[in-house]
Amino acid sequence: MADRDIFLREFRGETLGTVSDQSSADELFQNQTIRPILKLQNDLFIAVFINYVNKNKADFYSYSVEKKLQTIENSIQKDIKFRNSLKGIVMALFTIEEYDTYIQNSSSLNKRMMNLLIDRLKSQIQLFEVETN
């Protein structure tokens, strides 16, 4: 398992965001683990969201930008199965040590993870302008 953990850390890349002596444990986990995974998995998250709206929100592409932004947020916050699928995409790239840290405060870390993902998808709203199948 040590080989897997080393591979994952190298594969994901460096810490993203500011880390200081004053950073909380959750903030450290967010910047050292969650943000690099979200960046690495970005293209997959885009594809997963496009698939989700194609299957569940037939009229999504006709929405105003504001309604699309709201739909991104609502889909992730309110559709438990979809949210759990997204969490799995992130958690699959945790090391064992990171998983142990995660399970100690999963509620708070899930909230951070999903908020970061919502912000990431919203910032790329232009990718959801035209229907793609």
Side-chain angles (χ1 to χ4, degrees), residues 55-78:
K55 288 186 174 183
N56 300 294
K57 308 283 182 191
D59 52 351
F60 176 82
Y61 296 100
S62 65
Y63 292 172
S64 67
V65 170
E66 192 56 44
K67 188 165 182 184
K68 285 180 183 176
L69 294 172
Q70 192 61 50
T71 300
I72 290 170
E73 192 164 333
N74 288 341
S75 297
I76 293 173
Q77 289 179 342
K78 296 181 178 170

Side-chain angles (χ1 to χ4, degrees), residues 23-73:
S23 296
S24 68
D26 284 359
E27 191 176 1
L28 287 171
F29 190 85
Q30 170 186 294
N31 293 334
Q32 293 174 337
T33 303
I34 297 172
R35 285 183 188 272
I37 292 172
L38 293 178
K39 182 178 180 184
L40 176 66
Q41 296 286 73
N42 188 67
D43 291 346
L44 180 59
F45 287 123
I46 298 295
V48 167
F49 186 76
I50 288 170
N51 182 60
Y52 177 83
V53 297
N54 287 344
K55 288 186 174 183
N56 300 294
K57 308 283 182 191
D59 52 351
F60 176 82
Y61 296 100
S62 65
Y63 292 172
S64 67
V65 170
E66 192 56 44
K67 188 165 182 184
K68 285 180 183 176
L69 294 172
Q70 192 61 50
T71 300
I72 290 170
E73 192 164 333

Side-chain angles (χ1 to χ4, degrees), residues 91-107:
M91 292 172 57
L93 294 180
F94 285 176
T95 65
I96 301 303
E97 180 184 339
E98 289 164 346
Y99 180 73
D100 288 342
T101 300
Y102 167 79
I103 59 176
Q104 292 173 25
N105 197 10
S106 61
S107 180

Side-chain angles (χ1 to χ4, degrees), residues 79-90:
D79 187 328
I80 304 301
K81 283 175 62 176
F82 184 55
R83 185 172 67 228
N84 286 341
S85 174
L86 297 171
K87 281 191 285 189
I89 292 170
V90 175

